[in-house]
Amino acid sequence: MSKKGAPETRSSSRRQFLKSAGLTGAVMAAGARSAWSQAANAESNPENLPPHVADWSKYPGQGVADRPYGKPSKFEAHVVRRDVEWLTATRQSSVNFTPWHELDGIITPNGLCFERHHGGAPDISPADHRLMIHGLVDKPLIFSMSDILRMPRVNRVFFLECAANSGMEWRGPQLNGCQFTHGMIHNVMYTGVPLKVVLNEVGLKPNAKWLLVEGGDAAGMNRSLPMEKALDDCLLAFKMNGEALRPEQGYPLRLVVPGWEGNIWVKWLRRIEVGDKPWLAREETSKYTDLMADGRARRFTFVMDAKSVITNPSPQAPLRFRGQNVLTGIAWSGRGAITRVDVTLDGGRNWREARIDGPVLERSVTRFYVDFDWQGEELLIQSRCHDSTGYLQPTKNELRAIRGVNSIYHNNGIQTWLVRANGETENVEIS
Ligand code: MTE
Ligand code: CO
């Protein structure tokens, strides 16, 4: 078993990440442990415990007018998105991460969905937002938000995973926490209009094969989307988890491309150009390739393969009690539904089938559990998932054997956490 990689390996991997992501000028921040699980570890106040009457039982609480828009309890203040300062050159063109170790079930609360944007997040007035569709169409049109809100809509739960999720981990364990190794994914229910409804309205020419989808942010993010996918299950979404999209997630309108890498889910969607081939020179796709060991690159790797991670225990959520414990995690596949998750506690010698609980949906996060007994022994824990195509999540070394270590993107290898006798948990790899 090799523990965390040697510092040289780590920094060269980091440089590689920054280089491939087109980013420079990063500085390594001190990895001081912050106060993430403070609330749960806080000392009890005996005055509030039986046989005393707790303070909050003696006086009325806050009234209904105190919270026109509700927020979590102050005791949950550590449950936040976090970024890694040295990862990107600026905080506008950057990323923050979903705190999966603090969540349960399958839905990510809107305020905790990781953000990735290349030019900062604008807050656009829906009254001023327009979606233009032109190119190889019978009738080019400009849609206002009120036009879109009067079209037939649907509700669908999907995960969005950035292709760079776990991108730092190609050369060895780098970041201590599933928030950082696996936090570039969120899973929400979208409400939106199927893209095919809008495309029907403009009418497609017979040679219409590709769309250029473009955002209204300062980055003007654009990607080429094949027509087949556009007509299959893509949505023009305006709501997530029932309420309007948050500005950082593309308010007032974003593209939803189920199962495909996050980059193509264009936010603040302002323009769709219909063409007969992809816009290779212009668009972001030229950057979103997977560099292989021999210098060749994989292109159009749109689909996110099956992947899973144990969120508890994990470095930010160590084990605290002996005896009964709950291990939990998430699994997802861009190719279909999760059919089964296996968990090992002893580095792969023995596997047991995890208990899946909650909705099992296609292209959505699925929640799994293992209820287990812990007597302070060291554990090497891993999860591996199977999807409805029969695919089994690979080990990191199986991935490296095919893809090398030059890539940033599409790392869906099995994650290992080492749980020490004192419950502290670390990102490691088993060789
Ligand atoms: N759309 C626009 N307009 N601008 C962007 O920078 N970033 C893309 C995609 N859509 C981006 C964008 C990337 S790389 C990802 S991973 C997802 O948005 C992130 O979506 P989220 O911020 O809702 O998590
Ligand atoms: Co991305």
Side-chain angles (χ1 to χ4, degrees):
M1 182 192 79
S2 70
K3 240 187 67 175
K4 299 188 79 179
E8 318 83 73
T9 320
R10 280 203 258 165
S11 62
S12 69
S13 171
R14 189 169 68 244
R15 271 198 303 278
Q16 177 62 28
F17 182 88
L18 297 167
K19 212 170 114 208
S20 305
L23 307 161
T24 51
V27 189
M28 174 76 176
R33 257 184 92 81
S34 76
W36 25 61
S37 37
Q38 246 174 23
N41 290 322
E43 290 283 313
S44 308
N45 176 359
E47 297 294 311
N48 285 327
L49 301 181
H52 302 284
V53 175
D55 200 38
W56 50 86
S57 305
K58 296 177 189 158
Y59 316 99
Q62 289 180 315
V64 290
D66 286 337
R67 273 179 302 273
Y69 194 96
K71 285 202 204 111
S73 159
K74 65 181 179 206
F75 300 108
E76 298 296 316
H78 57 290
V79 182
V80 288
R81 302 187 274 224
R82 290 190 176 82
D83 66 333
V84 176
E85 264 178 73
W86 49 261
L87 207 55
T88 53
T90 74
R91 288 255 171 102
Q92 284 85 26
S93 181
S94 193
V95 57
N96 60 26
F97 302 91
T98 306
W100 279 106
H101 60 292
E102 298 284 1
L103 303 179
D104 217 315
I106 67 163
I107 295 294
T108 319
N110 290 342
L112 295 175
C113 287
F114 89 93
E115 303 167 53
R116 170 78 180 108
H117 27 77
H118 296 70
D123 196 358
I124 300 172
S125 162
D128 296 347
H129 188 73
R130 295 291 182 275
L131 170 63
M132 177 167 83
I133 309 186
H134 65 124
L136 297 177
V137 298
D138 300 328
K139 197 171 42 155
L141 285 173
I142 294 180
F143 296 88
S144 68
M145 283 308 294
S146 29
D147 295 333
I148 289 167
L149 287 166
R150 285 179 295 124
M151 294 176 167
R153 67 184 79 145
V154 298
N155 297 301
R156 301 277 185 277
V157 177
F158 294 120
F159 76 80
L160 178 168
E161 184 184 17
C162 180
N165 200 23
S166 315
M168 282 292 288
E169 307 290 308
W170 272 103
R171 291 178 180 212
Q174 300 290 324
L175 298 170
N176 237 355
C178 71
Q179 178 163 21
F180 304 110
T181 55
H182 290 75
M184 289 167 87
I185 174 168
H186 51 66
N187 198 65
V188 305
M189 177 178 286
Y190 294 97
T191 305
V193 175
L195 180 53
K196 68 168 177 259
V197 169
V198 183
L199 292 176
N200 277 342
E201 200 135 323
V202 294
L204 295 171
K205 301 272 194 209
N207 54 340
K209 291 283 182 292
W210 286 81
L211 309 181
L212 184 79
V213 288
E214 181 184 80
D217 53 337
M221 259 277 318
N222 57 77
R223 287 285 309 254
S224 297
L225 177 71
M227 186 63 77
E228 206 182 2
K229 180 69 173 171
L231 296 176
D232 179 15
D233 55 1
C234 293
L235 304 178
L236 300 175
F238 41 83
K239 299 235 153 113
M240 56 196 280
N241 292 334
E243 64 177 5
L245 296 174
R246 295 287 169 92
E248 60 272 35
Q249 263 87 36
Y251 179 85
L253 192 68
R254 94 171 299 166
L255 186 63
V256 168
V257 190
W260 286 26
E261 57 187 25
N263 187 256
I264 203 165
W265 297 48
V266 169
K267 305 192 272 191
W268 314 289
L269 182 71
R270 73 167 173 206
R271 190 168 76 90
I272 298 178
E273 187 175 341
V274 182
D276 56 0
K277 51 183 167 315
W279 282 257
L280 289 181
R282 175 143 42 117
E283 53 137 358
E284 282 281 322
T285 306
S286 45
K287 276 189 252 156
Y288 277 75
T289 54
D290 309 331
L291 191 57
M292 309 268 285
D294 62 4
R296 288 181 306 152
R298 302 196 312 162
R299 186 175 243 184
F300 296 130
T301 44
F302 290 127
V303 182
M304 301 309 293
D305 284 315
K307 182 166 170 181
S308 69
V309 65
I310 294 170
T311 57
N312 306 78
S314 64
Q316 295 159 284
L319 279 186
R320 298 181 52 237
F321 301 102
R322 295 192 177 197
Q324 191 177 20
N325 272 289
V326 176
L327 175 154
T328 185
I330 51 172
W332 61 94
S333 168
R335 299 189 191 272
I338 292 296
T339 48
R340 170 179 166 162
V341 180
D342 307 317
V343 166
T344 178
L345 304 181
D346 55 13
R349 275 193 290 279
N350 297 288
W351 292 90
R352 63 183 89 176
E353 189 172 344
R355 176 169 66 83
I356 289 177
D357 192 77
V360 178
L361 303 166
E362 296 213 338
R363 301 176 177 88
S364 160
V365 160
T366 300
R367 175 63 64 173
F368 66 85
Y369 299 95
V370 170
D371 305 294
F372 74 110
D373 189 76
W374 183 59
Q375 294 306 331
E377 67 277 21
E378 224 174 64
L379 307 175
L380 277 170
I381 58 176
Q382 300 177 323
S383 62
R384 65 173 189 211
C385 62
H386 308 246
D387 75 12
S388 45
T389 68
Y391 177 90
L392 171 62
Q393 182 183 2
T395 64
K396 289 186 181 175
N397 282 337
E398 283 167 348
L399 270 185
R400 289 181 186 124
I402 300 169
R403 307 256 309 276
V405 290
N406 292 328
S407 184
I408 293 302
Y409 302 115
H410 294 273
N411 181 351
N412 67 323
I414 293 174
Q415 173 66 45
T416 313
W417 305 123
L418 164 68
V419 181
R420 295 188 183 285
N422 64 3
E424 295 291 321
T425 300
E426 249 187 80
N427 183 3
V428 301
E429 255 189 59
I430 306 169
S431 42

